[in-house]
Amino acid sequence: MFGVIDLPTYLAGLVLIILLPGPNSLYVLSVAARRGVRAGYTAAAGVWCGDAVLMTLSAAGVASLFQANAVLFSIVKYAGAGYLTWLAIGMLRAAWGMWRSRRETVAAATGEAPAGEERPFRRALVVSLVNPKAILFFVAFFVQFVSESNPVVGFVTLGVLAQVASVLYLSALIFGGSRLAAAFRRRRTLSAGATSAAGALFLGFAVKLSLASV
């Protein structure tokens, strides 16, 4: 049906994967909490574009290339892990500075650049492209449900379903994150604690990606 094999199983897996915490959703949530709904959607747009790129690469056969070439996949995953580690270190350093000096601004405490320099779309795009959850989803899971009899329609159908699920989930995070902004402004210690936790999670994402296999 629509070039898809076992659609119910794909939808069940898609929901589980979307709901699992990952760097994409964490970054969008942090942007919305600090800068509001509009900036949150700007970051979300970067995620959606990154996912679209991964879908296109999967459709073009890159998934099979990764499966056949362990060296190439290792290069990609270690580069991604390095980028996530760099983000995590920035967050942890900023959080440490916040603990030492409670008068720092909330923006500084989040481990991100000032509002005018952050470029949430670009950063979210890169985070999406090196997201271990997304890479494994599109390389190892996504392609299994494409029918060989109608692969083009199958890839489009699966991709649209994935993007719709992502839009709904990230929208919920954006509006939830905007409500956190007031709490962060009132309690700087809460901002530092949240940033420390985010940095630790990004380190975990980096380790997970470095250990990933196709």
Side-chain angles (χ1 to χ4, degrees):
M1 181 179 181
F2 300 110
V4 177
I5 300 172
D6 199 359
L7 181 59
T9 301
Y10 172 76
L11 292 176
L14 176 63
V15 170
L16 291 175
I17 291 171
I18 289 290
L19 293 179
L20 284 174
N24 288 357
S25 55
L26 182 60
Y27 181 68
V28 171
L29 178 62
S30 72
V31 170
R34 291 179 289 106
R35 298 178 55 185
V37 171
R38 183 173 181 178
Y41 271 109
T42 300
V47 171
W48 297 327
C49 287
D51 286 348
V53 170
L54 292 177
M55 292 177 201
T56 303
L57 292 176
S58 179
V62 174
S64 299
L65 180 61
F66 279 152
Q67 291 173 334
N69 192 324
V71 174
L72 179 60
F73 182 72
S74 295
I75 292 173
V76 172
K77 74 175 183 179
Y78 287 127
Y83 181 75
L84 293 178
T85 301
W86 177 74
L87 289 180
I89 292 173
M91 290 179 177
L92 292 173
R93 289 179 61 187
W96 174 246
M98 183 60 177
W99 285 116
R100 295 180 61 184
S101 177
R102 305 299 174 83
R103 293 190 295 272
E104 296 292 332
T105 63
V106 174
T110 58
E112 308 293 343
E117 303 174 10
E118 182 177 352
R119 303 181 186 276
F121 176 87
R122 185 175 65 183
R123 178 162 291 187
L125 175 63
V126 177
V127 169
S128 177
L129 291 175
V130 301
N131 176 10
K133 185 175 71 172
I135 290 175
L136 293 177
F137 174 73
F138 290 113
V139 170
F141 181 79
F142 184 79
V143 295
Q144 298 180 24
F145 297 90
V146 178
S147 172
E148 294 182 0
S149 62
N150 201 349
V152 175
V153 175
F155 272 110
V156 172
T157 301
L158 296 177
V160 169
L161 291 173
Q163 291 288 47
V164 169
S166 180
V167 168
L168 294 175
Y169 179 58
L170 292 183
S171 293
L173 291 181
I174 288 168
F175 285 101
S178 64
R179 293 187 176 184
L180 294 175
F184 286 160
R185 284 193 294 267
R186 290 194 304 267
R187 301 181 62 182
R188 305 290 173 80
T189 302
L190 179 62
S191 294
T195 302
S196 299
L201 285 173
F202 267 80
L203 279 178
F205 296 142
V207 172
K208 181 179 180 180
L209 178 56
S210 67
L211 297 176
S213 60
V214 180

